[in-house]
Amino acid sequence: MNRIHLGHVFHVISIGVLIEALFVLTCIPVALIYKEHEVVQLIFAFVFISIIGGTVFVFTKRDVVNISIKDNFLAVVLTWIFISLFGAIPYIITNTIPNFADALFESVSGFTTTGSSILNDIEAMPKSLLFWRAETHWLGGMGVIVLVIALIPYFNIGGQQMMIAEGAFFTTEKIKARTIDVAKRMWFIYVVLTTLEVVALSVCGMNLFDAVCHAFATVATGGFSTYNSSLINSSASIQYVVILFMILSGMNFTLHYMFVHGRFKRFFKDEELKVYAFLILISSLVIAYFIVQKTGITWEPAFRQALFQVSSIITATGFVSADYLYWTPFAKFIILLLMLTGACIGSTGGGIKVARYVIVFKNMRQYLKQIINPNSIQIARFNEQSISLDVTKRIIGFIFFYYTTIAVGSLIMVLTGLDHVSAVSSVITTLGGIGPGFNLVGPVENFASLSEFGKYYLSFNMILGRLEILSVLVFIVPSFYKK
Amino acid sequence: MNRIHLGHVFHVISIGVLIEALFVLTCIPVALIYKEHEVVQLIFAFVFISIIGGTVFVFTKRDVVNISIKDNFLAVVLTWIFISLFGAIPYIITNTIPNFADALFESVSGFTTTGSSILNDIEAMPKSLLFWRAETHWLGGMGVIVLVIALIPYFNIGGQQMMIAEGAFFTTEKIKARTIDVAKRMWFIYVVLTTLEVVALSVCGMNLFDAVCHAFATVATGGFSTYNSSLINSSASIQYVVILFMILSGMNFTLHYMFVHGRFKRFFKDEELKVYAFLILISSLVIAYFIVQKTGITWEPAFRQALFQVSSIITATGFVSADYLYWTPFAKFIILLLMLTGACIGSTGGGIKVARYVIVFKNMRQYLKQIINPNSIQIARFNEQSISLDVTKRIIGFIFFYYTTIAVGSLIMVLTGLDHVSAVSSVITTLGGIGPGFNLVGPVENFASLSEFGKYYLSFNMILGRLEILSVLVFIVPSFYKK
């Protein structure tokens, strides 16, 4: 293997940091419009981040010939870490989140599109900082698209499955060749969805600022709201709009592209989409039933509450329309299982994702068949493509890594003094990029009460989850450091 | 595929039932010795079970030519179910456990070597019935050995891994050829371990009756005690003896054979054994540390308490030496994780088992290496044998099935009205054949308070776990019923 090309790696990172600086810049007009005194500090933050990013950019250069997989991994992981570190600066410099662990947590939670917050009083924040908070989601979501395209092909899991959705099983080389194409398409859909949601929310009576912030948080499947009680007190029409866009954002973006191009047959035959839709519908109906039974309210608000929360959790957005801790144990358990399900491959959502489960279940069925008929050859198929043994192993392996990470993380969080339910759910919700958990980190609570160490660990956990675990874990294999 | 040969299947079942009748017979002298009035009912139970078993035996016959895999599956699953049903008769007929759901639960818990009980006052039971209870464990443990040899090769998981431990990777045909040999050896070790424990417990001052019952429960990794408070009030020497035999019974029996034959090098190089020993030691030390910290008692009793409980849980025995619900959250979490670990392949212990995790982790490491060096060929090895992709897939698939079964089972138990912790832990502990769980089903509690439906479900769950899930699940695949 080649050596690591740090020059190239830092060049890539500096591009990310410079884009980030541009986003900080856009907070300044917001501060001016709302006449906030944070405008000076924001300018300072912009200048500071630009100078560092610019200096590194100038003194390093992109190496297009020699870069290896190691360089790619390093670049991706470090970019996420550095952008998160710089993203904490606006909070610290304006004294809105003075504590470093808190500011870093909020920044990481934004860029990983998790949406867990340490803020006790969101509405007390200056608008310009709330805008920055929403922007970290949106920028993070864009980054995920790059990630899916650039890195996941190496795992044979995300990228290729996304390609399967397109009806062809490309080799890694072919995926690379189409990278730019696919990325452009996904970004286009991302921007269109955001715009449509801003319009829809405005039509439903939300002011433009809140509409933009919520649209950023929805399409990136982030979950930061500008309201203290998230969307609990919002009108039914606003909640329905958010539900719609959460579900759309949790879908494979390639499917949106197909839909727009009139390939309805392929769209409606997508196996992941069918399971995703089924899970949302059945979970919402069951939970709505229990809400009606328990509280005696009518079916419409009960179903809306259930559908909102189910969509919010399965897509890993994390908006809240009801304090689900008061639901029946069965309904709460469904929410927990949805936290472990995740959205669709090729979306900005986190977690394990529906397609991976579908492929595993299909393989397991084939495995059972093979036990009964040992001499027959059974091949599992997903969207009419056969799934190789190697891909299957990698997908199941990923799921196994995922659960192991939850177990280890839970142990660590229990050590910080949390009760079991808070500990396990804080790890699940941050690893999956969801937002709220149970008990102390429940839907109407936040992560402020956690220990400083706990906040650092969960920040790491969010990055681990966002980068699909493996891209971080490759650094613990000794052979990474061998020439 | 061939059709199902019900005659053959019921012939096999009837052999199991006749052996069971012989065990019921041995309870009669116990009733006579202790002058219990249950002797008449026990004779009636023996006659009843013998007549049914005998009639079926006479009117069916073994088919050695045409039997298929389907027949084997059906025979194993139905044998376990029928033996459990007949095993409830002694409890019901003597009116010691009059309720059918309770009696069935106790019987299934015995034969699956789980050790979860619905008895509120164990010491009030007649000795002859306590003996029956211990015997169900011992007979169940014997059945497991048959199971491991006869059925697991089809899964490519248990059996072959056991063979790997012997230093060779046989084909299914070769395994079959050696079946009788291996079974004889394992039974020999099983009987020797039981005898040695009876002697050791007697030397430590336990009376012969209790010594036999506890030895049966230990070597089968069952967990039924004859005392209300399990082994909490037993002497240190008795606890150490039980610890030793729990650890020995959780080991791969093939290793005992190697040890006796002087193959120490191979014994000490066994990768599963090393991890098993490491897990027991490190968990016990950590828990002992927390016990000392919390209660201020000295290291000896603290370490003994920790070592006892860790060994009891990881081997899926389920004896109790301390109410671990009062331990620190971290210590409790370790106990929970050990419940998901299981003992060694080739033992009578339940659960996922150490070797499967070792193989998965080795594969994951190889997978990470391959991501970094895509062109290199990496092969994971276990005990110096390379592990094929297919075997890996099946092992990971099994683990995935296992966790899915826990998730589904927990949902069902929550529906019966249990809190989350009781529900999840009741499913984990019965699926893994362990015994105690957390909260309502904690170490000093029992399963009596559960709903009737809950008891039936957990009985099913115990059989599911004991038969390694897949042998039960093959019945849900439609192709099982195709000719």
Side-chain angles (χ1 to χ4, degrees):
Chain A
M1 285 299 296
N2 299 327
R3 62 182 179 81
I4 292 159
H5 302 83
L6 276 183
H8 169 81
V9 168
F10 275 94
H11 194 75
V12 172
I13 297 170
S14 69
I15 295 171
V17 172
L18 285 175
I19 295 173
E20 183 178 24
L22 280 180
F23 275 78
V24 175
L25 187 64
T26 64
C27 296
I28 296 168
V30 177
L32 288 172
I33 291 168
Y34 290 99
K35 298 188 175 60
E36 292 168 347
H37 62 81
E38 280 80 7
V39 71
V40 186
Q41 288 105 313
L42 285 172
I43 291 172
F44 189 81
F46 165 69
V47 172
F48 179 78
I49 299 171
S50 311
I51 287 176
I52 294 190
T55 310
V56 175
F57 183 80
V58 170
F59 287 97
T60 56
K61 66 178 179 216
R62 198 161 157 223
D63 188 337
V64 284
V65 184
N66 297 314
I67 56 156
S68 67
I69 297 170
K70 290 182 189 181
D71 297 322
N72 281 344
F73 277 108
L74 209 57
V76 167
V77 174
L78 288 183
T79 301
W80 234 280
I81 290 173
F82 276 105
I83 284 188
S84 298
L85 283 169
F86 285 115
I89 292 175
Y91 300 124
I92 296 171
I93 206 169
T94 57
N95 218 28
T96 44
I97 308 180
N99 178 286
F100 177 69
D102 285 344
L104 183 68
F105 184 94
E106 201 76 6
S107 173
V108 171
S109 178
F111 284 115
T112 57
T113 77
T114 304
S116 302
S117 178
I118 50 77
L119 288 176
N120 284 313
D121 189 354
I122 296 165
E123 290 164 24
M125 290 279 279
K127 299 275 188 196
S128 51
L129 268 297
L130 286 180
F131 190 67
W132 171 240
R133 200 162 160 263
E135 277 192 327
T136 57
H137 271 341
W138 206 66
L139 187 54
M142 282 221 161
V144 172
I145 296 173
V146 180
L147 186 74
V148 171
I149 310 287
L151 202 65
I152 308 300
Y154 295 117
F155 300 140
N156 266 333
I157 33 179
Q160 282 201 351
Q161 297 322 321
M162 205 186 60
M163 294 305 168
I164 292 172
E166 293 216 12
F169 212 128
F170 296 113
T171 62
T172 309
E173 282 316 301
K174 282 187 188 158
I175 289 177
K176 276 184 194 160
R178 296 193 51 187
T179 297
I180 308 290
D181 242 29
V182 177
K184 273 188 190 164
R185 246 188 254 168
M186 288 183 76
W187 272 332
F188 177 72
I189 292 160
Y190 190 70
V191 173
V192 169
L193 280 176
T194 311
T195 315
L196 287 178
E197 189 179 349
V198 172
V199 173
L201 287 175
S202 303
V203 169
C204 292
M206 200 182 252
N207 71 59
L208 186 65
F209 177 79
D210 289 337
V212 170
C213 289
H214 281 93
F216 280 2
T218 312
V219 180
T221 67
F224 280 153
S225 172
T226 52
Y227 309 134
N228 280 339
S229 54
S230 195
L231 292 161
I232 292 179
N233 300 318
S234 299
S235 68
S237 61
I238 286 177
Q239 292 189 345
Y240 277 119
V241 166
V242 174
I243 288 169
L244 175 68
F245 281 92
M246 286 195 294
I247 294 174
L248 290 175
S249 306
M251 283 167 56
N252 188 331
F253 279 19
T254 317
L255 289 179
H256 293 309
Y257 181 82
M258 285 175 184
F259 192 83
V260 173
H261 283 70
R263 291 164 64 187
F264 302 119
K265 206 175 158 190
R266 174 64 193 76
F267 179 91
F268 287 109
K269 270 182 79 178
D270 187 75
E271 297 191 56
E272 186 183 31
L273 182 63
K274 281 191 235 172
V275 177
Y276 173 70
F278 173 78
L279 285 176
I280 292 176
L281 195 66
I282 194 82
S283 310
S284 304
L285 285 173
V286 170
I287 291 176
Y289 169 80
F290 281 109
I291 293 175
V292 170
Q293 287 293 311
K294 192 177 175 184
T295 63
I297 61 171
T298 56
W299 266 89
E300 190 282 317
F303 183 71
R304 172 159 43 89
Q305 223 179 77
L307 182 63
F308 189 102
Q309 216 51 62
V310 165
S311 311
S312 174
I313 296 297
I314 198 173
T315 61
T317 308
F319 282 138
V320 177
S321 71
D323 187 353
Y324 54 72
L325 293 192
Y326 290 98
W327 290 356
T328 59
F330 188 75
K332 277 196 275 186
F333 207 85
I334 292 179
I335 293 292
L336 179 73
L337 292 181
L338 290 174
M339 283 185 180
L340 294 167
T341 309
C344 300
I345 290 273
S347 74
T348 57
I352 291 174
K353 303 202 178 70
V354 175
R356 289 199 179 105
Y357 280 112
V358 173
I359 291 172
V360 171
F361 274 108
K362 290 196 151 204
N363 265 282
M364 293 302 112
R365 195 175 57 183
Q366 167 252 330
Y367 172 20
L368 285 176
K369 277 186 192 167
Q370 195 130 35
I371 291 175
I372 305 166
N373 308 315
N375 300 321
S376 72
I377 291 165
Q378 307 277 348
I379 294 162
R381 286 168 179 281
F382 178 70
N383 282 340
E384 292 173 4
Q385 301 287 317
S386 63
I387 307 291
S388 76
L389 206 59
D390 195 53
V391 169
T392 303
K393 185 188 123 185
R394 287 169 180 223
I395 290 176
I396 311 184
F398 171 79
I399 297 179
F400 189 76
F401 265 124
Y402 200 91
Y403 284 105
T404 308
T405 308
I406 292 173
V408 173
S410 301
L411 261 178
I412 291 170
M413 291 309 291
V414 166
L415 261 188
T416 72
L418 283 188
D419 67 282
H420 287 161
V421 174
S422 303
V424 175
S425 70
S426 71
V427 172
I428 291 177
T429 201
T430 50
L431 191 67
I434 301 159
F438 290 93
N439 274 18
L440 284 179
V441 293
V444 298
E445 302 295 329
N446 60 54
F447 289 69
S449 63
L450 268 57
S451 70
E452 193 133 310
F453 174 79
K455 285 170 187 164
Y456 283 123
Y457 183 76
L458 291 183
S459 300
F460 165 71
N461 201 42
M462 288 190 268
I463 290 180
L464 204 57
R466 183 74 278 177
L467 302 183
E468 310 251 306
I469 301 176
L470 299 177
S471 38
V472 181
L473 285 191
V474 288
F475 295 105
I476 64 166
V477 184
S479 63
F480 188 89
Y481 302 97
K482 283 181 199 147
K483 249 198 173 175
Chain B
M1 285 298 296
N2 299 327
R3 61 183 180 80
I4 292 160
H5 302 84
L6 275 183
H8 169 82
V9 168
F10 275 95
H11 194 75
V12 172
I13 297 170
S14 70
I15 295 170
V17 172
L18 285 174
I19 295 172
E20 183 178 22
L22 281 180
F23 275 78
V24 174
L25 187 64
T26 64
C27 297
I28 295 169
V30 177
L32 289 172
I33 291 167
Y34 291 99
K35 298 187 175 59
E36 292 169 346
H37 62 80
E38 280 81 6
V39 69
V40 185
Q41 288 103 314
L42 285 172
I43 291 172
F44 189 81
F46 164 69
V47 172
F48 180 78
I49 299 172
S50 309
I51 286 176
I52 294 189
T55 310
V56 175
F57 183 80
V58 170
F59 286 98
T60 56
K61 65 178 178 213
R62 197 161 157 224
D63 188 337
V64 284
V65 184
N66 297 313
I67 55 157
S68 66
I69 296 172
K70 289 182 189 181
D71 297 323
N72 281 345
F73 277 108
L74 209 57
V76 167
V77 174
L78 288 183
T79 301
W80 234 279
I81 290 174
F82 276 105
I83 283 187
S84 299
L85 282 168
F86 285 115
I89 292 175
Y91 299 124
I92 296 171
I93 207 170
T94 57
N95 217 28
T96 44
I97 308 180
N99 179 285
F100 177 70
D102 285 345
L104 183 68
F105 185 94
E106 202 76 7
S107 173
V108 171
S109 178
F111 285 115
T112 57
T113 78
T114 303
S116 302
S117 178
I118 50 79
L119 289 175
N120 283 312
D121 189 353
I122 295 165
E123 290 164 23
M125 290 278 279
K127 299 275 187 196
S128 51
L129 268 297
L130 285 181
F131 189 67
W132 172 241
R133 201 163 159 261
E135 277 192 328
T136 58
H137 271 341
W138 206 66
L139 187 54
M142 282 221 162
V144 172
I145 295 174
V146 180
L147 185 75
V148 170
I149 309 287
L151 202 65
I152 309 299
Y154 295 117
F155 300 141
N156 266 333
I157 32 179
Q160 282 202 350
Q161 298 322 320
M162 205 187 59
M163 296 304 167
I164 292 172
E166 292 216 12
F169 212 128
F170 296 112
T171 62
T172 308
E173 282 316 302
K174 282 186 187 159
I175 289 176
K176 276 184 194 160
R178 296 194 51 188
T179 297
I180 309 291
D181 242 29
V182 177
K184 273 188 190 163
R185 248 188 253 168
M186 287 184 75
W187 271 331
F188 178 72
I189 291 160
Y190 190 68
V191 173
V192 168
L193 280 177
T194 310
T195 315
L196 286 178
E197 190 179 349
V198 172
V199 173
L201 287 175
S202 303
V203 169
C204 293
M206 199 181 252
N207 70 59
L208 185 65
F209 176 79
D210 289 337
V212 170
C213 289
H214 281 94
F216 279 3
T218 312
V219 180
T221 67
F224 280 152
S225 173
T226 51
Y227 309 135
N228 279 339
S229 54
S230 196
L231 293 161
I232 291 179
N233 299 318
S234 300
S235 68
S237 60
I238 286 177
Q239 291 190 346
Y240 277 119
V241 167
V242 173
I243 288 170
L244 174 68
F245 281 92
M246 287 195 294
I247 294 174
L248 290 175
S249 307
M251 282 168 57
N252 188 331
F253 279 20
T254 316
L255 289 179
H256 293 310
Y257 182 82
M258 285 175 184
F259 193 84
V260 173
H261 283 71
R263 291 164 64 188
F264 302 119
K265 205 174 157 191
R266 174 62 194 76
F267 180 91
F268 287 108
K269 270 181 79 178
D270 187 73
E271 295 191 58
E272 187 183 31
L273 182 64
K274 281 191 233 172
V275 177
Y276 174 68
F278 174 77
L279 285 176
I280 292 177
L281 195 67
I282 193 82
S283 309
S284 303
L285 284 174
V286 170
I287 290 176
Y289 169 81
F290 280 110
I291 293 175
V292 170
Q293 288 292 312
K294 192 177 174 183
T295 63
I297 60 171
T298 56
W299 266 89
E300 192 282 318
F303 182 71
R304 173 160 42 89
Q305 222 179 78
L307 181 63
F308 189 103
Q309 216 50 64
V310 164
S311 311
S312 173
I313 296 297
I314 198 174
T315 61
T317 309
F319 282 139
V320 177
S321 72
D323 186 354
Y324 54 71
L325 293 192
Y326 289 98
W327 289 356
T328 58
F330 188 75
K332 278 196 276 186
F333 207 85
I334 292 179
I335 291 294
L336 180 73
L337 291 181
L338 290 175
M339 284 184 179
L340 294 166
T341 308
C344 299
I345 291 273
S347 74
T348 57
I352 291 174
K353 303 202 178 69
V354 175
R356 289 200 178 103
Y357 280 112
V358 173
I359 290 172
V360 171
F361 274 108
K362 291 196 151 205
N363 265 284
M364 293 302 112
R365 193 175 59 183
Q366 167 252 331
Y367 173 19
L368 286 176
K369 277 186 192 167
Q370 195 130 34
I371 291 175
I372 304 166
N373 308 316
N375 299 322
S376 71
I377 291 164
Q378 307 275 349
I379 294 162
R381 286 168 179 282
F382 177 71
N383 282 340
E384 293 174 4
Q385 301 287 318
S386 64
I387 307 292
S388 77
L389 206 58
D390 195 54
V391 169
T392 303
K393 185 188 123 184
R394 287 167 182 225
I395 290 176
I396 311 184
F398 171 78
I399 297 179
F400 189 76
F401 265 124
Y402 200 91
Y403 283 106
T404 308
T405 307
I406 292 173
V408 174
S410 302
L411 261 177
I412 290 170
M413 291 308 291
V414 166
L415 262 187
T416 72
L418 284 188
D419 66 283
H420 287 163
V421 174
S422 304
V424 175
S425 69
S426 72
V427 173
I428 291 176
T429 200
T430 50
L431 192 67
I434 300 160
F438 290 94
N439 275 16
L440 284 179
V441 294
V444 298
E445 302 294 330
N446 59 54
F447 289 69
S449 63
L450 267 58
S451 71
E452 193 133 310
F453 173 79
K455 284 169 188 165
Y456 284 123
Y457 183 75
L458 291 183
S459 300
F460 166 71
N461 202 43
M462 287 190 267
I463 290 180
L464 203 58
R466 182 73 278 176
L467 303 182
E468 310 251 308
I469 301 176
L470 299 177
S471 38
V472 180
L473 286 190
V474 288
F475 295 105
I476 64 166
V477 184
S479 63
F480 187 89
Y481 302 97
K482 282 181 198 146
K483 251 199 170 174

